[in-house]
Amino acid sequence: MVHSGYEASAVDYTFSGLRGLWATVKATFSGAYADPDALAMLNEPTKPVHAYNPLVQIEANKSQLEETRA
């Protein structure tokens, strides 16, 4: 899994004081979104990530597999 760094910043802001905690609670339970342009981007349609590179299922014979312990 790849993280962008925003998660850590959000956690830091939330738990750095009462102001951050209160802002997070308000944002969680409020239907309002402070940035209308960002909200419009969230509502834009997106295409699937694997539209052109479908995942392939590889089958293996269990008798050919070797268990390893690292």
Side-chain angles (χ1 to χ4, degrees):
M1 181 182 302
V2 177
H3 292 280
S4 63
Y6 290 110
E7 297 90 351
S9 298
V11 170
D12 182 52
Y13 180 72
T14 299
F15 295 107
S16 64
L18 290 177
R19 176 182 283 172
L21 184 61
W22 180 243
T24 302
V25 169
K26 282 188 349 185
T28 301
F29 294 110
S30 170
Y33 204 87
D35 188 348
D37 292 331
L39 181 61
M41 288 176 64
L42 287 173
N43 292 326
E44 289 179 1
T46 59
K47 61 182 177 182
V49 175
H50 299 291
Y52 301 106
N53 298 320
L55 298 176
V56 177
Q57 182 67 38
I58 300 174
E59 294 184 22
N61 186 351
K62 288 188 179 185
S63 64
Q64 295 174 342
L65 298 177
E66 179 182 338
E67 183 177 341
T68 61
R69 297 181 188 261

